[in-house]
Amino acid sequence: MSDLEDKLRGWTGLSSATEQEKQERTERMIREAVKEHPAFDGVDLDAFAKGSYANNTNVKTDSDVDIAVQCGEAAYWDEATTGAHPPSGSYAGIWTPARLRSELKAALEAKFPGQVDSSGSTAFRIYASSARVDADVVPCFDFRYYFSSSSYREGTKVFKKDASSAPDLRLCVLVRPTFRQ
């Protein structure tokens, strides 16, 4: 076996117990930040791991944790064909993409003072400490893609913070896809 193959095998192995502990601590602390933030009291929010960490496909010793904070107060949708979505009224609540981003930023900064980078267009970056790994936290909303009025796929809808940076603001990423029929 070549040196390169040995190196690749080492990178793709499971996280060490210490690294896994840091990843789990990072995820737990982000969930705590959301739970402890007063503006989120009584709000339908779900914080969950996604990406390589959640799928256990991360690169050993070079892994961060990706967390989605999904708001169920407003649901977005799209349809495969016109008329596939059942008729509904417009959302009139307070949980807009800008409000969710603003409150999530405040929650993260309260939990991780001086360690939150909000300069990215989509995710918040939380820098590692000796007890945690880096994390990317993405604010998102419930999303359904309708094939017909009774058949749809669920996922999440992510908005970039700068509307001008995305010509199509329906940046749908199916994170926890489920299929209903």
Side-chain angles (χ1 to χ4, degrees), residues 101-180:
R101 178 174 296 282
S102 172
E103 294 296 346
L104 184 56
K105 179 182 176 188
L108 295 172
E109 287 177 340
K111 187 74 169 181
F112 307 100
Q115 298 172 350
V116 178
D117 179 356
S118 61
S119 66
S121 66
T122 306
F124 295 101
R125 180 70 162 183
I126 301 173
Y127 294 110
S129 71
S130 60
R132 291 181 284 99
V133 297
D134 288 333
D136 292 322
V137 182
V138 179
C140 55
F141 290 88
D142 287 355
F143 177 83
R144 285 185 179 175
Y145 186 79
Y146 284 87
F147 301 101
S148 70
S149 61
S150 61
S151 175
Y152 57 88
R153 181 166 289 237
E154 291 183 324
T156 62
K157 183 168 182 159
V158 177
F159 290 91
K160 291 189 175 197
K161 73 176 179 183
D162 179 0
S164 66
S165 69
D168 181 359
L169 294 180
R170 295 173 294 142
L171 300 169
C172 169
V173 179
L174 294 175
V175 176
R176 293 181 308 166
T178 55
F179 190 70
R180 301 269 197 286

Side-chain angles (χ1 to χ4, degrees), residues 44-67:
D44 179 9
L45 288 174
D46 187 17
F48 57 94
K50 61 185 201 70
S52 61
Y53 165 69
N55 295 320
N56 205 20
T57 58
N58 51 312
V59 176
K60 191 171 144 183
T61 71
D62 185 33
S63 58
D64 65 357
V65 173
D66 299 315
I67 303 291

Side-chain angles (χ1 to χ4, degrees), residues 90-106:
S90 297
Y91 174 69
I94 63 169
W95 289 103
T96 62
R99 172 89 189 264
L100 179 60
R101 178 174 296 282
S102 172
E103 294 296 346
L104 184 56
K105 179 182 176 188

